Amino acid sequence: MDLTNPLPLLDEAVAVLKTPLTQEDRYQGWTDDLRREIQEEISLSRSALRRHGLGVARYLRPRLEEWLDRVGVAPGRLRGLVSEAQRCLETVDSDTARMAE
């Protein structure tokens, strides 16, 4: 993962989450509403990073994995992509904080 530019990963996550769910996704606990809500959350974070730079990452507090745990989404392709996006945002936040010190 390129921490100097996390936007490609976030772009990929948004693009994949915009596509219709497969039957397997539905078996794992995804609904159309959940898919749209998660896509919107990642999209908002991505927009903030684009507009304001990586320094804004410290203000983003993604809790996507906790959300998916609460609604009972099982591991799978979408869950893995969302987890990777969350880790990316958390890593950018911690790296940006270290660079500011």
Side-chain angles (χ1 to χ4, degrees):
M1 165 181 1
D2 179 7
L3 297 180
T4 61
N5 186 11
L7 294 173
L9 174 64
L10 300 179
D11 290 342
E12 177 188 355
V14 168
V16 170
L17 287 164
K18 283 184 177 180
T19 62
L21 294 172
T22 66
Q23 193 63 35
E24 186 174 337
D25 297 329
R26 292 184 189 285
Y27 288 142
Q28 292 165 355
W30 287 90
T31 64
D32 288 325
D33 287 340
L34 177 63
R35 177 187 53 80
R36 279 189 292 271
E37 289 175 24
I38 295 287
Q39 180 268 321
E40 187 175 305
E41 288 296 316
I42 294 171
S43 185
L44 289 170
S45 295
R46 177 186 67 167
S47 294
L49 291 172
R50 276 208 170 97
R51 270 188 258 119
H52 306 291
L54 295 182
V56 77
R58 78 187 92 202
Y59 301 107
L60 303 175
R61 298 287 181 249
R63 299 287 183 251
L64 304 174
E65 287 183 325
E66 292 173 21
W67 186 357
L68 295 177
D69 285 341
R70 254 191 330 273
V71 296
V73 173
R77 73 178 183 101
L78 293 180
R79 175 92 189 227
L81 186 60
V82 169
S83 295
E84 193 173 344
Q86 179 172 320
R87 278 191 303 278
C88 176
L89 290 168
E90 291 168 348
T91 303
V92 168
D93 176 24
S94 64
D95 285 356
T96 303
R98 268 183 280 174
M99 288 188 301
E101 292 175 350

